[in-house]
């Protein structure tokens, strides 16, 4: 069985890996700190917000999503 994909968790893990704070992320993507907690709870995130987060953290989360989607398709064939 495939592990469930969760973009919010990946973002939170990357933030921790970089030893950055939620406040830093909020300021960098121009949102309230409380919004970061909401982001971490989301399995999927709209494209515009994901682009901002990807740029801020220097990680292409779209690649993570594409890899997951590719594996889902491959496993369903």
């Amino acid at each position: 069985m495939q592990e469930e994909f969760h973009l919010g968790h990946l973002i939170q893990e990357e933030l921790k890996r970089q030893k950055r704070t939620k406040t830093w992320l909020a300021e960098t993507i121009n949102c309230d700190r409380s919004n970061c907690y909401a982001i971490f709870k989301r399995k999927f995130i709209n494209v515009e917000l994901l682009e901002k987060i990807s740029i801020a953290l220097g990680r292409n989360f779209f690649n993570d999503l594409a890899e997951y989607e590719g594996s889902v398709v491959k496993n369903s064939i």
Side-chain angles (χ1 to χ4, degrees), residues 36-68:
C36 287
Y37 292 101
I39 290 168
F40 299 153
K41 292 179 182 179
R42 296 182 197 168
K43 289 182 182 181
F44 296 98
I45 297 168
N46 75 55
V47 172
E48 184 180 344
L49 180 56
L50 189 58
E51 180 182 28
K52 287 179 182 180
I53 294 168
S54 292
I55 291 168
L57 291 174
R59 175 175 170 174
N60 189 339
F61 290 100
F62 293 100
N63 284 341
D64 296 309
L65 181 57
E67 286 178 21
Y68 169 75

Side-chain angles (χ1 to χ4, degrees), residues 27-38:
E27 289 173 356
T28 304
I29 64 172
N30 197 28
C31 74
D32 289 336
R33 186 172 174 256
S34 61
N35 288 348
C36 287
Y37 292 101

